[in-house]
Amino acid sequence: AAAGLEGGGDFGLGRSKEDEETWCNLWMLCIKSFCRIAHDDRYAIVAETAFRCLERALLCCDVRVPVPAAWRDCYDQILFPIVSSRFKSAAAQGQRGGAQETACLQTLLLLCKSFRNNLHLLIRLPDLHMLWLRLLGLLEAFKHRIRAANRDATSTAIVEVLKEMLQVLRDDPMFKRQNMGAFTLTVLYAFCPDLR
């Protein structure tokens, strides 16, 4: 499936709207499958491979998904729920800081990178602020891993991506109109003051 994504990233683009929708639906199905397998203990033997496939599907420049709503649905219906659910499961089982939580943190980094890479599309969405609030909620849930004293390579990378996203969003008129800037900084500065 991953090979198909990389080799056929242009499928449906520049053709009919129906072809484009079909391509987006297939891409989202791949994202959902990769993400679930990567976070399911029953498939531990292939979890790393699934994670690499997820990374390519989200970040590979050859996989072009120029439809803002497709990215919104990818985050809203797949990535946010799966990462949030698995994180809560790890916390409930007393596995904070364990392998399951670390896997969630790695997926959160992919999510942040993908969000950053597609900001030029997401900014067109009237409900961008709702997506952003959900992302802030996930970041806050992982604040014990993102605080400066507790950072590893993954959480340090998340902070760097956040800095890049904030630079873009601070200049966006819609973001300013929705008064999201002050709220964002209030949330992030509470556990990540070095973003100032």
Side-chain angles (χ1 to χ4, degrees):
L5 277 172
E6 288 183 304
D10 284 329
F11 178 80
L13 301 185
R15 302 182 185 179
S16 71
K17 184 172 179 60
E18 184 176 300
D19 285 340
E20 191 172 88
E21 288 176 355
T22 299
W23 161 243
C24 288
N25 288 335
L26 289 172
W27 169 76
M28 284 185 61
L29 183 60
C30 287
I31 295 287
K32 187 174 185 177
S33 300
F34 296 150
C35 195
R36 281 187 168 175
I37 293 171
H39 290 276
D40 193 325
D41 296 337
R42 295 172 298 176
Y43 305 112
I45 193 170
V46 292
E48 185 174 348
T49 300
F51 182 82
R52 295 306 165 204
C53 290
L54 177 65
E55 182 176 35
R56 287 196 291 271
L58 286 172
L59 303 180
C60 180
C61 61
D62 289 334
V63 182
R64 287 189 277 275
V65 183
V67 184
W71 284 105
R72 178 196 60 207
D73 293 345
C74 172
Y75 300 137
D76 213 29
Q77 299 175 19
I78 302 172
L79 294 174
F80 286 145
I82 290 178
V83 173
S84 179
S85 173
R86 296 303 288 170
F87 171 73
K88 289 176 181 176
S89 174
Q93 295 171 24
Q95 297 178 0
R96 175 167 281 199
Q100 190 177 123
E101 184 183 277
T102 297
C104 289
L105 190 69
Q106 291 170 340
T107 303
L108 179 59
L109 174 58
L110 289 187
L111 198 163
C112 288
K113 285 182 175 180
S114 173
F115 207 99
R116 174 201 62 193
N117 293 352
N118 291 288
L119 267 178
H120 65 290
L121 294 172
L122 299 173
I123 279 175
R124 303 178 196 171
L125 293 170
D127 51 354
L128 168 64
H129 62 293
M130 298 302 295
L131 276 181
W132 184 247
L133 287 175
R134 291 198 72 177
L135 180 57
L136 286 181
L138 271 183
L139 290 165
E140 190 171 30
F142 283 92
K143 62 185 177 185
H144 60 289
R145 299 287 296 266
I146 297 177
R147 293 185 194 278
N150 302 327
R151 282 180 201 156
D152 57 11
T154 302
S155 49
T156 297
I158 287 174
V159 172
E160 290 306 310
V161 174
L162 270 175
K163 288 178 180 177
E164 294 172 7
M165 285 196 285
L166 287 173
Q167 287 177 355
V168 175
L169 290 172
R170 281 171 180 152
D171 297 328
D172 178 60
M174 182 177 294
F175 200 71
K176 290 178 179 178
R177 284 199 303 273
Q178 293 169 340
N179 296 318
M180 293 301 299
F183 177 78
T184 295
L185 298 181
T186 298
V187 172
L188 294 179
Y189 286 175
F191 59 90
C192 200
D194 50 321
L195 281 174
R196 294 178 187 273

